[in-house]
Amino acid sequence: MKLIDTHSHLYEPEFDDDCEAAVARAREAGVAALLLPAIDTASDRRLFDLCRSHPEYCFPMIGLHPTSVNDNPAWREELARVERYLLEPPAGIRFCAIGEIGLDYYWSDAFVAQQTEAFVAQLRLAARFDLPVAIHTRAAWDDMCRIIEAETERARADGRRLRGVFHAFSEGAAAFERLCGCGDFRFGIGGTVTFKKSGVAEIVRTMPLDRIVLETDCPYLTPAPYRGQRNESAYVRLICDKIAELKGLAAETVAAATTANAEALFGIRYTEKNTERR
C-alpha cells in the first residue's frame, strides 16, 4: 500500500527532537511522499532544509499563509518572495505547488482586504506558472467560493488553468458541489474525519473517490485514537482506513485512488526504488 500525505508541516519546531524518526515512521506506515506547504519567511529555511535532506521523499510548496498577512506590515514583501522563489528557486528546490494560501477570518476579520489581495495574487501566480494550489479556508467559505469561481474564469479566459486542493475541507454538500463546478479541484481529508462527531464524515460518504486526497496537517488535527497528542505523517494511514470504512471500500482501494489523485495533481510519480518529480 502506498499513501501520500499531501499536507505535512513536518519541518515545524514540534519535530525538532525527532524529525528523522518521524520521517522513518511515515515510511514504515506506507507513506511514499510528503508534500510540505510553506507558511512564511520565518519557516522557509526549515522547510527547504528538510526537502534537501530527503529530495526523493519531501516535496516543497511556496506561499504565504493568510494568518501571516494579519497585522504584518511587511506582508507585501512576504508576497513578493513567493514570486521571486518561483522565478529563481533556491538551490536543490523544485516547488510542486503554491501553498499554503487562502482566507482565514477565524482569528480576526480586520484583515479581509489584505488577505484577499494576497490570495488572489497567489492564485494568479499559480495560473501563470501552471502550478496547483493548496488552499486554506477557515470561517470564510462564502468569500472563498466567490473568489475561486471568478479566478477560475479569469484563468480560462487567459488560456490558463487553475487547479488544486481545498486543504482540511470541512463544509457540506452545497459548498462541495459549488467548488466541484470550478473544475480540477480535490478535497483534502484529514484527521477530523475520524472524530466521533465529525461533520465531514457525512460528506466523505458521498464524495467521489477521485475528488479526495489524504492529508494530516501535522502537527495539527491529530486523528483518533491519538487526538490531543502531536500529529505526524505516519497517521495518514488512520485517515485512509476511516475513509475506507465510511465508503465501504478496502483500504487498499482508497490508498490507490487517493495516491493516483495526488500524483496527477501535484506531478509526482514513483519507481520501485525512489520517488521523483515529473
Side-chain angles (χ1 to χ4, degrees):
M1 181 185 296
K2 288 184 179 179
L3 302 162
I4 295 178
D5 184 356
T6 63
H7 201 103
S8 171
H9 295 283
L10 202 65
Y11 59 85
E12 285 286 76
E14 287 86 346
F15 295 99
D16 280 354
D17 293 335
D18 67 341
C19 183
E20 290 303 312
V23 169
R25 287 190 291 270
R27 289 183 184 272
E28 290 167 6
V31 183
L34 308 180
L35 309 188
L36 309 181
I39 299 172
D40 53 33
T41 301
S43 59
D44 281 352
R45 176 171 290 183
R46 294 195 305 269
L47 168 62
F48 297 159
D49 284 350
L50 180 58
C51 291
R52 290 185 182 112
S53 297
H54 299 277
E56 84 295 352
Y57 192 68
C58 295
F59 298 86
M61 305 182 196
I62 191 64
L64 179 62
H65 193 285
T67 60
S68 293
V69 172
N70 294 358
D71 203 25
N72 178 3
W75 71 267
R76 284 193 176 89
E77 286 81 357
E78 291 264 9
L79 185 60
R81 118 197 181 280
V82 177
E83 182 173 12
R84 184 173 67 253
Y85 278 148
L86 289 169
L87 289 168
E88 297 184 19
I93 296 296
R94 291 186 67 192
F95 297 113
C96 68
I98 296 180
E100 176 176 358
I101 66 175
L103 302 174
D104 190 324
Y105 305 163
Y106 181 80
W107 301 107
S108 173
D109 61 1
F111 303 96
V112 171
Q114 295 92 328
Q115 285 192 17
T116 299
E117 182 180 336
F119 180 45
V120 169
Q122 291 177 100
L123 290 175
R124 293 178 183 179
L125 283 174
R128 173 182 161 194
F129 285 90
D130 194 23
L131 287 171
V133 287
I135 299 174
H136 170 109
T137 313
R138 196 173 186 192
W141 279 103
D142 286 344
D143 283 357
M144 175 60 64
C145 290
R146 175 181 54 79
I147 291 170
I148 290 296
E149 287 169 340
E151 290 303 313
T152 299
E153 287 303 313
R154 178 190 174 93
R156 287 172 180 162
D158 290 341
R160 294 171 173 171
R161 60 177 177 166
L162 192 60
R163 68 197 196 280
V165 58
F166 292 99
H167 153 59
F169 185 72
S170 60
E171 291 299 288
F176 174 73
E177 293 298 333
R178 185 177 178 185
L179 292 167
C180 282
C182 291
D184 191 17
F185 285 91
R186 302 295 181 269
F187 296 80
I189 304 301
T192 56
V193 76
T194 69
F195 297 172
K196 287 184 178 180
K197 296 182 179 180
S198 171
V200 74
E202 292 307 309
I203 185 64
V204 164
R205 291 182 195 275
T206 62
M207 271 185 182
L209 200 53
D210 64 3
R211 287 284 186 173
I212 298 174
V213 294
L214 307 181
E215 61 173 55
T216 62
D217 197 23
C218 69
Y220 317 108
L221 299 179
T222 311
Y226 301 110
R227 190 176 181 183
Q229 302 176 37
R230 184 194 68 177
N231 198 5
E232 59 180 81
S233 285
Y235 296 162
V236 76
R237 175 63 188 268
L238 300 172
I239 297 160
C240 177
D241 290 346
K242 184 62 178 182
I243 293 172
E245 175 191 327
L246 290 168
K247 299 183 79 63
L249 298 170
E252 289 79 5
T253 300
V254 173
T258 56
T259 294
N261 294 342
E263 289 173 343
L265 179 62
F266 293 101
I268 57 176
R269 62 186 173 88
Y270 307 101
T271 66
E272 288 299 318
K273 295 183 179 180
N274 62 16
T275 307
E276 58 187 31
R277 274 291 311 277
R278 283 193 181 105

